[in-house]
Amino acid sequence: MAPAAMRTAASSLSGAKPVPFWLDDPERPDALPALTGDKHTDLLVVGGGYSGLWTALIAKERDPDRDVVLIEGHEVGWAASGRNGGFCAASLTHGLANGVERWPDEIAKLEELGERNLDAIEAAVARYGIDCEFERTGEIDVATEPHQLQELREWHEEIVKLGITGVDFLDRDALRAEVDSPTFLGGLWDRRGVAMLHPAKLAWGLKRACRELGVRIYEHTRGLELARSGEGMAVRTPYGRVFARRVALGTNIFPSLVKRVRPYTVPVYDYALMTEPLTPAQLESIGWKGRQGLGDSANQFHYFRLSADNRILWGGYDAIYPYGGKLNADLDQRPETFLKLAEQFFTCFPQLSGVRFSHAWGGAIDTCSRFTAFFGTAHQGRVAYAAGYTGLGVGSTRFGADVMLDLLSGEETERTRLEMVRSKPMPFPPEPLAWAGIEITRRSLAHADDNGGRRNLWLKTMDKLGLGFDS
């Protein structure tokens, strides 16, 4: 980074709050009391992020008479569900390309189910009056290097062959007419497949909707241990126990109460900045009247979007894996990453020189070796779990909730028949192999970005094994 660019980036961060913008909101609801004593229920949901909230809500929609308890170790929406970028995608497979690579024979069904899932989210937001700033504006994948532009052209041709509509190729001029950056060479606009929203307000709205349907929610209540109890299960908490006929685990990055599931996920720390609100003149200088979400096409990519009050969220690029896979709140703040992100922001939008960042934050998300969710059961079908969303859980967690409820019912459905649902990713190896493999992959991806997209032998080998990190 040149000294002048570094000074500009550093100055822009001087007043940034070290907290997620979305959670720094006076509308944040008060925490509910912790669970004390013994409780009995039909269904216990562990985890108060999107995965658990959708599971509890849909369980009550399917059967209003079913008693449902949800426990959350901290507060609803405090972790990844409340601090993500707010990109709510129809894709269930971490993008169409990943889905085509892994499940070519059922990609049409997966795309259909994903579209129906996003429609259902939009309908639920309206039905329950959830004011989460939902805007179905779509997303543009942006090329900033010539090889990326060629790859997007070729991929658009493949999309057309697959019979998928609603995705348009934009050349340089067409893209810059939508959002103006001197770094943009072209892009693919998925016009209906992604919505923008306020992630924390979605979580808080789902919390309210669940309670209105009769779900009993206990916050500051960690699930400590899972064990059989008669015909059902028991979960021990700090101040009591919950006895349930069935249990759904939506803990994602946090250690699963089913220990054999833990090797399938690792934490990766993701980071984001939020600008102060843009002035009308600043906004006019970049256009962006369509308010689409954007993401560039590099391996180490950025994602960016406008908030309701015309701030720009700018996140991504660094993905940090801590040795041993241990969660560490100290990693939520990483000044060297924030400085890098700020410098890259002004490279993308030099016309916004002088804009300052109001918030800078990070946190862990879970990923698995196939980059999209996996599912399963334990204790002879009494427990179901979903995990591994890899940053695309804003939308697909609702689908995962349906899958968990299907699995707990014991009935075969169009979802449980999917190979995606019936199969598992490859587990990560123990340390130090996990750290070494992830670090080699991360460095190889960075090298590919600097080398015209050409993947080295390591990445080619990972691709052949179905472990090719592509984002």
Side-chain angles (χ1 to χ4, degrees):
M1 188 186 301
M6 182 178 293
R7 287 193 297 271
T8 297
S11 176
S12 71
L13 291 163
S14 62
K17 292 185 180 181
V19 294
F21 166 78
W22 311 112
L23 295 171
D24 186 24
D25 192 306
E27 296 182 27
R28 183 171 183 167
D30 293 335
L32 297 170
L35 182 147
T36 58
D38 290 348
K39 309 295 181 184
H40 294 78
T41 188
D42 297 322
L43 173 66
L44 171 63
V45 179
V46 182
Y50 295 141
S51 187
L53 291 165
W54 281 119
T55 302
L57 186 72
I58 296 170
K60 291 295 283 186
E61 290 178 336
R62 290 188 182 189
D63 181 1
D65 294 328
R66 175 163 32 189
D67 187 64
V68 179
V69 168
L70 182 150
I71 62 173
E72 160 56 40
H74 188 49
E75 294 182 23
V76 162
W78 75 277
S81 294
R83 56 167 158 73
N84 62 80
F87 287 64
C88 185
S91 176
L92 305 176
T93 59
H94 206 272
L96 179 60
N98 192 46
V100 169
E101 177 69 23
R102 298 182 188 282
W103 303 288
D105 295 337
E106 60 186 29
I107 191 61
K109 172 58 68 174
L110 288 167
E111 287 292 294
E112 175 197 340
L113 289 170
E115 290 172 10
R116 283 161 46 188
N117 184 64
L118 183 54
D119 289 343
I121 292 172
E122 185 171 15
V125 165
R127 182 166 64 253
Y128 294 108
I130 299 174
D131 181 16
C132 63
E133 302 163 9
F134 189 97
E135 300 178 277
R136 199 157 175 176
T137 54
E139 180 180 7
I140 303 176
D141 290 332
V142 174
T144 58
E145 297 288 343
H147 73 272
Q148 296 171 9
L149 184 64
Q150 181 59 31
E151 289 167 359
L152 289 183
R153 286 185 186 276
E154 294 172 355
W155 179 233
H156 185 249
E157 293 173 0
E158 290 299 316
I159 290 173
V160 172
K161 291 177 183 177
L162 288 169
I164 294 171
T165 59
V167 181
D168 298 329
F169 179 81
L170 305 178
D171 63 18
R172 176 183 177 277
D173 291 342
L175 175 56
R176 293 189 63 175
E178 294 293 331
V179 186
D180 191 15
S181 166
T183 67
F184 292 175
L185 303 180
L188 287 184
W189 183 2
D190 180 352
R191 292 179 178 269
R192 289 281 297 168
V194 183
M196 298 292 106
L197 52 77
H198 187 303
K201 287 184 178 180
L202 175 60
W204 300 334
L206 290 173
K207 174 183 176 179
R208 174 182 55 78
C210 284
R211 296 186 72 200
E212 289 174 352
L213 293 185
V215 177
R216 292 181 283 160
I217 298 178
Y218 300 93
E219 295 180 290
H220 295 288
T221 302
R222 287 183 59 206
L224 301 175
E225 185 179 17
L226 175 71
R228 290 283 297 274
S229 177
E231 295 300 312
M233 303 299 300
V235 171
R236 183 170 60 86
T237 71
Y239 305 126
R241 294 175 297 178
V242 184
F243 297 90
R245 293 180 58 251
R246 297 289 184 268
V247 177
L249 301 177
T251 51
N252 295 298
I253 191 51
F254 299 99
S256 177
L257 292 178
V258 177
K259 292 182 180 180
R260 60 181 166 83
V261 176
R262 296 179 186 179
Y264 288 98
T265 62
V266 294
V268 175
Y269 280 77
D270 178 55
Y271 298 92
L273 305 174
M274 183 71 92
T275 72
E276 61 191 0
L278 301 187
T279 66
Q282 289 169 334
L283 191 58
E284 180 67 25
S285 74
I286 57 174
W288 217 339
K289 293 181 174 62
R291 300 183 58 82
Q292 309 93 331
L294 283 87
D296 62 51
S297 301
N299 292 307
Q300 291 185 289
F301 66 97
H302 303 90
Y303 54 88
F304 39 118
R305 48 80 54 99
L306 289 169
S307 66
D309 60 349
N310 291 327
R311 302 166 184 263
I312 297 178
L313 179 143
W314 178 264
Y317 193 76
D318 274 343
I320 305 302
Y321 170 72
Y323 183 85
K326 301 294 185 182
L327 296 175
N328 182 353
D330 290 343
L331 292 176
D332 292 354
Q333 290 291 308
R334 197 166 191 267
E336 60 268 42
T337 291
F338 297 145
L339 191 63
K340 189 184 304 179
L341 283 172
E343 190 270 337
Q344 292 163 340
F345 174 86
F346 292 114
T347 298
C348 182
F349 294 120
Q351 62 269 53
L352 296 181
S353 177
V355 166
R356 300 174 71 85
F357 294 99
S358 62
H359 296 75
W361 70 93
I365 62 173
D366 68 337
T367 189
C368 67
S369 60
R370 72 184 194 188
F371 320 116
T372 191
F374 63 93
F375 315 91
T377 61
H379 294 280
Q380 297 178 309
R382 294 174 176 85
V383 178
Y385 57 83
Y389 288 97
T390 316
L392 246 66
V394 180
S396 57
T397 44
R398 187 194 175 280
F399 173 80
D402 265 326
V403 170
M404 285 195 285
L405 292 170
D406 288 350
L407 293 172
L408 290 174
S409 75
E411 298 178 5
E412 185 179 272
T413 69
E414 63 179 343
R415 288 177 287 264
T416 61
R417 285 192 294 268
L418 292 168
E419 174 63 21
M420 174 191 172
V421 171
R422 293 186 290 110
S423 64
K424 292 283 193 302
M426 184 179 294
F428 289 92
E431 297 292 10
L433 296 179
W435 184 88
I438 292 170
E439 185 64 16
I440 292 171
T441 300
R442 189 179 69 83
R443 294 184 183 187
S444 296
L445 290 171
H447 180 73
D449 284 337
D450 294 334
N451 196 33
R454 288 183 287 275
R455 297 168 82 83
N456 63 17
L457 180 60
W458 174 266
L459 292 179
K460 290 177 181 178
T461 301
M462 293 297 100
D463 291 340
K464 290 180 180 178
L465 294 173
L467 302 173
F469 282 70
D470 56 3
S471 62

